[in-house]
Amino acid sequence: MTRQTEPDAFDSMADDPTPLFILSFRQRDELSAIAVRHGWQVIAARRSDGAADRLAASGAALAVIDARGALTDGLAAAAALGGGIADRGGALLVLVSRGDVGALGSFFAAGATHFLSSPHSELELAEALRFAARHAERLAGTVGQAMSAPLGWRVDRSGELRLTAALAGLLDTPTNPDLRWLLRQVPTADRLGGIAAWRRLRAGSATTAFAHELAGVGRVVEHLHYDAVTGSTVAVVERLGLVAEPDAVIRDALSGVRDAAGARRWLDRQLKEGRSVQVALIGLNRFEIVNTTYGRDAGDTLLRAVQRRIEEIAAEMFGRAAVIARMSGSNFLLAVEDSPQRIEAASGRIAEALARPFVVGGAMAVLGCRIGIAVARGEGESATDMLRRTGEALAAARASDVLTISVAGTDRHGPSLDTLAVDLRAAIERDEIDILFQPQVAIGSGAIVGVEALARWEHAALGSLGAETLFAAAERADLSIGLSDHIQRTALARAAAWPRALAGLRLAINLTAADIARPGFADIFLDRVDASGFPRGRLTVEITESGLIQDLGVAAGLLAGLRSAGCRVAIDDFGTGYSSLAYLKALPLDYLKIDKKLAQDITGSTRDRIVVRGVIDMARSLGLAVIAEGVETAEQLDLLAKEGCQYYQGYLCAEPLGADALVALMARGEG
């Protein structure tokens, strides 16, 4: 390799992405990703602490302050950065919400040079960045000329490593440096972080960062960017010597208002002072699907987005009085000194916010959550005691078939899984698990064309329980496979005995993750179908995304075997997990079933409708028929029809029915 550090080639980084400093209080990662896609080398921050010093050290002539949803913080940041930008002949672009355009005069007075209000497109933002950069060029001759010399390096597809002259001058650089030599400049204690960052890039991340000590400089952050088109990796090395709490620069992505230990200390102080404190523990659903499928980077991005939604609601309802922290795993804590009714109201809004889809890495993830709430009892209760009660309430919500929020010390808890697990084995032996059929309707003709088999258990003490609770209890009793076998046999036997009026209907049966993992399950299942007498050609097998995660290759082989045997295949509840194009491309599918939450959201905002439209268009472009679940109103059905959905099921047509009620419904439709 040839060392290249000549000033006209790389020293100013003029032939590489131009340095850009971004300060965004709510959408740092989203803005950074957009800027990288349009050729910028990004140094980004979420907090204003030390921002002026970081900007000065970054070598960036252009800075962006994203004040959307954070007007006060944005104005303070503009006041801190504006003077330095003007002194160095740079440009300062401010992003504001449409409702805050009245504050533009204040931003201008603070030193901002350019403005962009939302909503705006990615292209509009990219153009705003380019115009602001041209402004800086006019003032300074070239972008970055008036700024400090940048520290950085680049390695291209061939492995050739190039250093900026400023970085090469700080290091004892050999004639032919390579990546191994560069890694040796990182202290052993920090080296694993550098290796992990490099692996994240190779795994598909466009941008990442890691911190380490650098001889002669002190603490630095290396901001790495990978260009998939050219195969080059570029790094800007940011000095952190002037930043208060430099470690927080890297950790701020998931720090929250407090960390778990800080939240405990705050809670202990409030309880010792006898204050009326309420705590909500928010546990995400399905988060592990993201980490398992797409890796930690995608999971971290999703957690940051979740935290922002929680913070927005907490700030609106409690202002700065709320304490928010990320606890272990994918759990978040909200603690306030307020009324129990207010924290329950806030929890309800948080549950609604987290039920809306997230977009991560170009795919859509619908998580949802369960929430446990505890109210301080007084009488010397400790933070540990209160958090234990909150955790128990969260566990109760998770165990419930209907509850999203559970309050400690009340009777609003779901059925005990341990009790159900004991009862379930006997229920299977006594054939107490019933099968109902929910109609699937062709939107174009209004005709019922098929049904989905749904399990129901009329528990003596707890009433009607659905499949979600049944399988949760089955897992506790190690009966998952036995329950699935029983449901499949019962559904096939009932359908095979249908009267002539139902002879033309398709039957959809659900397969579980445990089914897919069983060796030889395709043959077992087909033998079961043939023994029942129900025709393979009228059978659809449905599988949820969570059942595919463990081994996509195994799932693809199994479904291909069933499909070649005459069955059809549907992916169920699309949008409830981390919906991936990989499923749609790799699996032999006939139908895509839109989760009921997405289908019902179509009557919400324009954004909600666009999401549903995108799913339908994507499915139809791949030759899949689309079935919308959970349709309850004529308005939902009308909008789904306009977007191209072909089938629906839901209470607008009928609830799950027994065979006799299904025959009567068919007769009314024909009449």
Side-chain angles (χ1 to χ4, degrees), residues 329-410:
S330 58
N331 291 343
F332 290 83
L333 177 139
L334 168 63
V336 294
E337 183 186 355
D338 207 295
S339 69
Q341 294 76 19
R342 289 263 292 165
I343 198 166
E344 286 194 50
S347 297
R349 291 189 55 188
I350 288 170
E352 292 177 1
L354 299 187
R356 298 197 305 268
F358 293 86
V359 177
V360 182
M364 182 175 60
V366 179
L367 297 179
C369 68
R370 299 294 174 97
I371 301 175
I373 297 175
V375 178
R377 289 174 170 171
E379 301 179 358
E381 184 176 29
S382 68
T384 299
D385 294 334
M386 192 169 185
L387 290 174
R388 175 184 53 77
R389 292 196 296 116
T390 312
E392 291 173 353
L394 174 59
R398 289 193 184 281
S400 171
D401 191 37
V402 295
L403 290 180
T404 298
I405 300 170
S406 176
V407 181
T410 72

Side-chain angles (χ1 to χ4, degrees), residues 604-624:
S605 67
T606 301
R607 185 182 295 269
D608 291 331
R609 186 170 178 180
I610 290 172
V611 170
V612 179
R613 178 186 302 158
V615 172
I616 294 174
D617 289 346
M618 175 177 60
R620 297 199 63 175
S621 67
L622 292 172
L624 308 181

Side-chain angles (χ1 to χ4, degrees), residues 3 6 54 68 84 262 353 359 521 539 547 640:
R3 171 181 167 189
E6 56 269 28
R54 294 186 69 186
R68 294 173 297 175
V359 177
F521 176 74
L539 184 64
L640 287 164

Side-chain angles (χ1 to χ4, degrees), residues 13 149-153 164 166-167 170 214 217 220 235-239:
M13 303 186 83
L151 304 177
W153 53 267
T164 65
L167 181 59
L170 291 172
L214 184 64
V217 178
V220 301
V236 166
V237 181
E238 179 189 8
R239 304 171 189 256

Side-chain angles (χ1 to χ4, degrees), residues 55-297:
L55 172 61
S58 69
L62 173 58
V64 176
I65 294 176
D66 180 11
R68 294 173 297 175
L71 181 62
T72 302
D73 291 333
L75 284 168
L81 301 184
I85 284 285
D87 293 342
R88 291 187 292 271
L92 177 58
L93 171 65
V94 175
L95 308 181
V96 296
S97 301
R98 183 62 55 88
D100 292 333
V101 292
L104 291 182
S106 299
F107 280 111
F108 180 79
T113 59
H114 294 75
F115 310 96
L116 183 63
S117 64
S118 62
H120 56 256
S121 67
E122 178 175 324
L123 181 59
E124 288 170 333
L125 175 59
E127 288 300 316
L129 290 172
R130 292 191 186 99
F131 275 102
R134 290 175 63 185
H135 172 81
E137 289 175 2
R138 290 194 185 103
L139 294 178
T142 59
V143 175
Q145 178 175 306
M147 313 298 277
S148 59
L151 304 177
W153 53 267
R154 182 181 68 184
V155 61
D156 61 21
R157 195 189 301 274
S158 69
E160 179 183 343
L161 175 67
R162 305 172 63 198
L163 308 178
T164 65
L167 181 59
L170 291 172
L171 304 175
D172 184 12
T173 309
T175 303
N176 296 311
D178 58 19
L179 282 175
R180 290 185 179 180
W181 168 83
L182 189 63
L183 184 60
R184 288 197 297 272
Q185 310 313 303
V186 178
T188 304
D190 296 322
R191 203 167 291 172
L192 287 178
I195 294 172
W198 187 263
R199 287 175 177 169
R200 288 195 293 272
L201 287 183
R202 289 295 172 260
S205 296
T207 180
T208 188
F210 72 103
H212 65 88
E213 297 292 328
L214 184 64
V217 178
R219 197 71 176 168
V220 301
V221 174
E222 295 205 30
H223 299 266
L224 308 180
H225 303 268
Y226 177 67
D227 186 338
V229 176
T230 65
S232 298
T233 299
V234 180
V236 166
V237 181
E238 179 189 8
R239 304 171 189 256
L240 291 179
L242 298 175
V243 180
E245 300 182 334
D247 287 344
V249 174
I250 296 301
R251 293 200 311 267
D252 68 350
L254 290 173
S255 64
V257 175
R258 297 174 187 268
D259 58 14
R264 287 176 179 272
R265 289 192 296 270
W266 180 90
L267 189 55
D268 262 329
R269 286 196 302 271
Q270 304 303 309
L271 292 171
K272 287 178 181 178
E273 294 173 4
R275 298 183 181 277
S276 175
V277 181
Q278 297 82 42
V279 175
L281 187 61
I282 304 151
L284 299 183
N285 301 336
R286 314 179 188 94
F287 172 72
E288 288 306 318
I289 294 175
V290 178
N291 265 356
T292 302
T293 309
Y294 291 93
R296 184 170 296 178
D297 282 349

